[in-house]
Amino acid sequence: MSNKRHLQSVGSGVEGKTTPRHNLQQSENMMKLLPKLVLLVLLAFPATIIFNSRGPLVAAQDATEDEEAAEDIISEDEDDEAEVEDDETTDLTEEKEEEEEDASSGEAKASPNADTTILFVKGEGRSSGGGTDTQGFPANNIVKFLVGFTNKGSEDFVVESLDASFRYPQDYQFYIQNFTALQLNTVVQSQRQATFEYSFIPAEPMGGRPFGLVINLNYKDTNGNVFQDAVFNQTVTITEKEDGLDGETVFLYVFLSGLGLLVIVGLHQLLESRKRRRPATKVEMGTSNHNDVDMSWIPQETLNQINKASPRRSPRKRAQKRSAGSDE
């Protein structure tokens, strides 16, 4: 019994002791795990710092974006206001310029105390083009018209001049042909009428195109107020001058005549060629004339038998022979 206890104590003492080899292995294992732990710490530390600092950074970015958006909205509003102000300034400037142009040009209007009428007496016509019937004037021909002026007011008017011009249809400020103004200097008393005659000749190169015809009557009252009445202001067509025969018409007639002659010659040649191709008709004469028959090759005996044989006669020949006998 005592021996067993001694053995157990010895065994337990042996188990409780640590050998140097075992300690060396543990230290080696720790040294192997140390680099992994250091790497893990290095990876986790920056992530922790970024995670902790992300909230303030995001908030700062959001605040910066909000400030930028607000600045953009403010700048857009300022731009819109500046554009509106520029448009208003431009409109006002244009209105002022138009007023200044009107004042500088001195364009006068018609007086309410005067009436005007116009009557074309020579050269007027109608021109149909583009589905519309417009007034037309022949190129290089005289156009004559009469302008009537009626003074309905209580003051006298002095009719100074009468002028006419052709304008560009899309822009009446652009002159195509400007005619000489007729100086009148005629006084038209109150409740009186006056008639004025004017004539012009449209240029020949203007034929075949539409133009704006403007006829103005310039007059003033006793107070010196100047008036201008557009007696006629419409788009007209300048027609080309129609001659009896022009070169194009003559050439067309010559061409058609030559073409007709060629057709006739061709038909004649075709008929002649067909006639030449037709073969001549052969007429069978038969053996009605015995003198033309060569009997020399027939034997004499055969000829004698033919002569002895009585020839056959047709009923028609018999009837003819009988009729001839009865007549005798």
Side-chain angles (χ1 to χ4, degrees):
M1 192 71 184
S2 61
N3 291 331
K4 289 180 179 181
R5 289 178 179 176
H6 179 70
L7 289 171
Q8 290 178 355
S9 61
V10 172
S12 60
V14 172
E15 291 176 357
K17 291 181 181 179
T18 302
T19 61
R21 187 177 181 180
H22 182 69
N23 293 331
L24 183 61
Q25 289 178 356
Q26 288 182 354
S27 62
E28 289 179 356
N29 291 332
M30 291 294 293
M31 291 298 294
K32 290 180 179 179
L33 292 175
L34 183 62
K36 295 181 179 180
L37 292 174
V38 173
L39 181 61
L40 182 62
V41 170
L42 292 175
L43 292 175
F45 181 73
T48 305
I49 294 174
I50 292 172
F51 181 77
N52 292 330
S53 61
R54 185 178 180 181
L57 287 174
V58 172
Q61 291 178 357
D62 293 339
T64 305
E65 291 178 357
D66 293 338
E67 290 177 357
E68 291 178 355
E71 290 178 357
D72 293 337
I73 293 171
I74 293 170
S75 62
E76 289 178 358
D77 293 339
E78 292 178 353
D79 293 338
D80 294 337
E81 291 177 357
E83 289 178 358
V84 171
E85 291 178 356
D86 292 338
D87 293 337
E88 292 178 354
T89 306
T90 304
D91 295 337
L92 293 173
T93 305
E94 290 178 355
E95 291 178 358
K96 289 181 180 179
E97 288 178 356
E98 290 177 357
E99 291 177 356
E100 290 177 357
E101 288 178 358
D102 294 339
S104 61
S105 60
E107 293 182 356
K109 297 181 180 180
S111 173
N113 296 324
D115 285 339
T116 56
T117 56
I118 186 170
L119 176 63
F120 289 92
V121 295
K122 185 178 180 181
E124 182 188 15
R126 310 301 297 181
S127 176
S128 298
T132 59
D133 188 14
T134 59
Q135 207 166 4
F137 301 99
N140 203 24
N141 280 1
I142 297 175
V143 178
K144 186 181 295 185
F145 60 88
L146 301 175
V147 175
F149 181 82
T150 303
N151 186 355
K152 301 186 301 181
S154 58
E155 298 180 355
D156 296 343
F157 285 105
V158 179
V159 181
E160 295 181 335
S161 62
L162 179 63
D163 62 77
S165 60
F166 282 114
R167 313 286 183 90
Y168 187 63
Q170 280 71 28
D171 185 7
Y172 270 53
Q173 300 297 326
F174 186 74
Y175 287 77
I176 302 296
Q177 186 178 7
N178 193 16
F179 302 102
T180 304
L182 178 62
Q183 300 298 326
L184 300 173
N185 296 322
T186 302
V187 178
V188 181
Q189 297 178 358
S190 176
Q191 305 300 322
R192 295 295 182 89
Q193 295 180 348
T195 303
F196 309 100
E197 181 181 356
Y198 190 90
S199 60
F200 62 91
I201 301 176
E204 187 173 0
M206 297 169 60
R209 290 179 291 178
F211 295 98
L213 176 60
V214 179
I215 300 173
N216 294 322
L217 183 65
N218 304 304
Y219 57 96
K220 63 181 180 179
D221 58 10
T222 56
N223 297 323
N225 298 320
V226 179
F227 302 97
Q228 185 181 68
D229 191 355
V231 183
F232 190 88
N233 189 2
Q234 294 181 12
T235 300
V236 298
T237 301
I238 307 301
T239 58
E240 295 180 354
K241 187 177 180 181
E242 296 181 359
D243 296 330
L245 285 176
D246 55 354
E248 294 180 357
T249 306
V250 173
F251 178 76
L252 179 62
Y253 288 156
V254 172
F255 175 75
L256 293 177
S257 301
L259 184 62
L261 183 61
L262 288 176
V263 171
I264 294 172
V265 172
L267 292 175
H268 178 71
Q269 292 294 331
L270 181 62
L271 294 176
E272 289 293 333
S273 62
R274 287 187 177 181
K275 287 181 180 179
R276 292 174 184 174
R277 291 178 183 176
R278 290 180 181 177
T281 57
K282 295 181 180 180
V283 180
E284 183 67 27
M285 300 300 292
T287 58
S288 59
N289 190 0
H290 294 283
N291 296 325
D292 297 336
V293 179
D294 186 11
M295 306 294 288
S296 61
W297 60 277
I298 300 175
Q300 189 64 31
E301 296 177 356
T302 305
L303 292 174
N304 293 333
Q305 291 178 0
I306 292 173
N307 292 329
K308 290 179 180 180
S310 60
R312 294 181 180 179
R313 297 178 181 178
S314 63
R316 183 179 297 176
K317 290 182 178 181
R318 291 176 184 176
Q320 291 177 357
K321 189 175 181 181
R322 290 176 184 175
S323 62
S326 61
D327 291 339
E328 293 175 356

